[in-house]
Amino acid sequence: MAETFLFGIAERVVEKIAALTVDEVFLAFTVQTDLKKLKDTMISIKAVLLDAERQQHRNEKLRLCMWKLRDIFYDAEDVIDDFKCETLRKQDSINHCNTNSSKVRFLASCCNCLPLSLSLKMAHKIKAINRRLGELATEWNSFDLRQCSDNRHVFRRETISFVDSSDVIGRDEDKENIINMLMKPSEQRSVPVVPIVGLGGLGKTTLAQLVYNDDRVTSLFPLKIWICVSEEFDLSRLLKLIIHSINKEENCDDLTLEALQSCLRSHLNDKKFLLVLDDVWNENQAKWVELRNLLRSTDGFSPSKIIVTTRSLKVASLMSSIPSYILKGLPLEDCLILFTKWAFNDGDETYYPNLIRIGEEIVKKCKGVPLAVRTLGSLLFQKTDESDWIYIRESEIWRLEQHENDILPVLKLSYNHLPSHLQRCLAFLSLYKKDQIYYSDQVIRLWMANGFLEHPRQNQEWEDVGKRYLNELLSRCLIQKEEDFCLNFTFKMHDLVHDLALDVSQKECKTVNSETEMADENVRHLLLCDEKLVEVPRVLEEMKSVRTVIIQDVSRRSKIVDKSLINLCVSNFKYLRALELRNSPLTALPNSICTLKHLRDLELVQCKGIQELPNSFDKLRSLQSLNLRGTRLKQLPESVQRLIELRHLEITIKAEHLKEIRAGCWTSLQYLKLHRCFELECLPEGMQYLKSLRTLVLKGCSRLVSLPRSLKFLTKLEHLEIIFCDKINLEMEPKEEEDRDLQLSLKTFELYELYALRDLPQLLLQGSSSTLQQLRISWCPELSVLPAWLLNLTSLHKLEIEYCFNLSAPVEGIDRLTNLRELAIHECPQLSKRYRQNGGEDWHKIAHIQNVVIKD
């Protein structure tokens, strides 16, 4: 069922209104009064939204009212963002006016006031929103909603310990692995915990049941206890369940907590037991420790064991020091056997070979998840009409009717357990196609552009919040990491989780192709992907509220489509926040794109026809991310430097020099990448003004010969990558007086395919001696020696040296790098020989390092 995301939207809008400073609200007193009224109204609505979300599935009128509220809240956010746009316009005018101080003062005072026409227009919008909320108030109040705490996710699921093993397919190896873990002797007083972790529907409970009922386990553990924890991890409740499982006759309902713990300990009395805690969601370590301590052995190492099943790696890690057992999906052959058991009576499948062929395609949709296989098999039980099977094969799983214990309702429990801000972020991922690889940094920028992220904590940036969100989704098994690139990573989403995201985001996100005939006019996020698309789909012309447009796989042959799409964005989508256009044949951006004053993310990757930007590009003052990688830009115009909100910049240019960076420009820039700038001979003057820069990437700048010493002023720089820069040498020695107390913040430093490199930049690395954690040197054939000052990098955790064929001398005193935990030496013949474990003369110098990998 489509979600309104109303609580998350309300939260963001209230935050934005509260954040408006007196300087930003340069309107008449009556308008400020209207803003306060809007804020107060939204706070009172937000207070009862959790109750509304609970009741909406039983009350269609309430649900419709919530959809109306959603649209009003979105419109309110647009108006509040108009204030931000006006503040940026004012700031830009002050920053770039004449240097005459009196003129600056005059302009600053003038800029404190909005033009009368604009002031009246914005005042009218705020009043209109208050009026719409007032019109809805009577209906909203009639639902008699109550303020309640955020315990909306509490649910109670029941499971039992019994399973018929003949019904379980493909889990024999997993069962043996878990039993082997149970048989390992314990070396701790606390009861060892074996966590089984995986996506909902994979069969974690079934696996635990198989293990629990195995004869070897029964003989190994005289006392076995099965508890379905579900979400409510309450100590008193759990103690009662455990006691009742041990002694069915014991009546402990009225016992105090003190009496319960005494009763439990008397029953256990250092007996050897197996406790299964099924379906655990608790992330409060203190609650777990309370229970763990009551189960602890009072005499030596505990012979008992605990099995925990959970969907969360975070839960597993706080309950156990043993590595989690990550349950994988079933192979296709096992899925087919399971599907046949649920779709046919025993043996009947032999009469319907045509249905079995269709069934194979249906099973592939399940991607190894047994509960999904069971759900679709059950839908087809005793149905022998081929059209029924074809319907299931051609339908999206999320569109099929399902019952409480079927796959999507089970997966929905994971969604319901997410905080509201993560629900919106997960739903947004439905905008990508199934099986598509997601790039973490790109996803975070889109979340930022749409205002999905909570305000950063102290000493954090918005990008850090986005990384925290992704790590949360990873820990809950809702996404899976594919490849880690140090600065970012790629990930995938299981098809069934994608189906879940599609289900909840029906009215927010929409994929449009040449066959799309209908769409909700209030859709906010669009993906256009269809190589057959030769004209703009007419369904888009009815939309006015779109905030995200991603265009991919559109016909490479037609410039007209891309140009028409951009013109549509400009004319219809006035509040567009993100526009991504990749591999387009477009030769120029229309000047009208600069009227999109709310645009925060613009991506034109591999748009090779674009050679220049519009003259008024500086009007895009809200722009946070600009990606021009793979374009054929002749030069980056000075107007781009006026984008004071810009945080992420990737560029490819044909010029030998970039224009000088002026003081006061790009003060928010966090990430700068120069990509395949083949003519570039040096970095621009004024690099020292990029005070917020945290990441600098130089890739494929083949004529670049050195780095400027001004980089030493970038005290927030944490990541530096230099890749495919054939001519660069990094000799950069500190000057005794000037650089004596240099304090830099580099954490990772990567060098790759630098064929002229002979020296490492001592100035930057020694300046980061207490912060540098990872150093990678790869394909630098001219590097013959590692400097002695490398031993000053006392925080170094990981050192990788690859394909440095002339590197012969080891780092003298490497054993003094006591924090070094990983050392990898690949294809460095002389170095590898000396550090080899068997017979290497310098092996003893690196023997203290936890993880050493040496390959010739």
Side-chain angles (χ1 to χ4, degrees), residues 36 56 123 226 261 290 304 355-356 395 424 461 463 500 558 571 598 600 611 643 692 704 708 716 743 815 818:
K36 185 179 184 305
Q56 62 173 318
W226 180 282
Q261 66 91 17
E290 284 182 324
S304 302
L355 299 184
I356 292 295
S395 297
R424 288 183 81 189
E461 298 290 344
E463 294 81 0
L500 171 66
S558 176
S571 61
H598 291 272
R600 296 169 185 167
Q611 298 186 31
L643 302 175
S692 297
L704 196 64
K716 290 188 177 181
Q743 295 290 321
D815 50 323
T818 54

Side-chain angles (χ1 to χ4, degrees), residues 708-715 738-739 742 744 763-764:
R709 292 184 67 85
S710 58
L711 293 186
K712 70 180 182 179
F713 297 109
L714 304 183
T715 55
E738 182 182 335
D739 303 321
L742 196 61
L744 300 180
L763 176 68
L764 301 181

Side-chain angles (χ1 to χ4, degrees), residues 693-734:
L693 195 68
R694 294 203 299 172
T695 301
L696 175 61
V697 180
L698 308 172
K699 184 173 182 179
C701 301
S702 51
R703 295 181 66 180
L704 196 64
V705 294
S706 64
L707 296 180
R709 292 184 67 85
S710 58
L711 293 186
K712 70 180 182 179
F713 297 109
L714 304 183
T715 55
K716 290 188 177 181
L717 188 66
E718 296 179 350
H719 311 287
L720 178 57
E721 287 187 8
I722 308 173
I723 306 167
F724 303 136
C725 297
D726 300 346
K727 295 185 178 181
I728 200 166
N729 190 30
L730 297 176
E731 184 177 7
M732 196 185 292
E733 294 185 1

Side-chain angles (χ1 to χ4, degrees), residues 243-251:
I243 292 168
H244 182 69
S245 179
I246 297 170
N247 184 356
K248 302 290 189 294
E249 306 300 320
E250 186 91 41
N251 186 358

Side-chain angles (χ1 to χ4, degrees), residues 198-260:
L199 188 68
L202 270 179
K204 300 180 294 298
T205 298
T206 302
L207 176 57
Q209 289 167 333
L210 283 175
V211 171
Y212 188 90
N213 290 286
D214 188 88
D215 290 340
R216 290 165 294 172
V217 172
T218 301
S219 63
L220 189 62
F221 298 99
L223 177 59
K224 295 191 301 180
I225 308 161
W226 180 282
I227 303 297
C228 181
V229 179
S230 197
E231 183 159 351
E232 194 176 358
F233 201 95
D234 176 74
L235 183 62
S236 177
R237 170 180 167 258
L238 293 178
L239 292 180
K240 290 174 185 177
L241 289 172
I242 294 171
I243 292 168
H244 182 69
S245 179
I246 297 170
N247 184 356
K248 302 290 189 294
E249 306 300 320
E250 186 91 41
N251 186 358
C252 52
D253 289 345
D254 299 323
L255 294 183
T256 63
L257 194 58
E258 175 64 23
L260 285 170

Side-chain angles (χ1 to χ4, degrees), residues 336 502 549:
L336 284 169
L502 283 170
V549 175

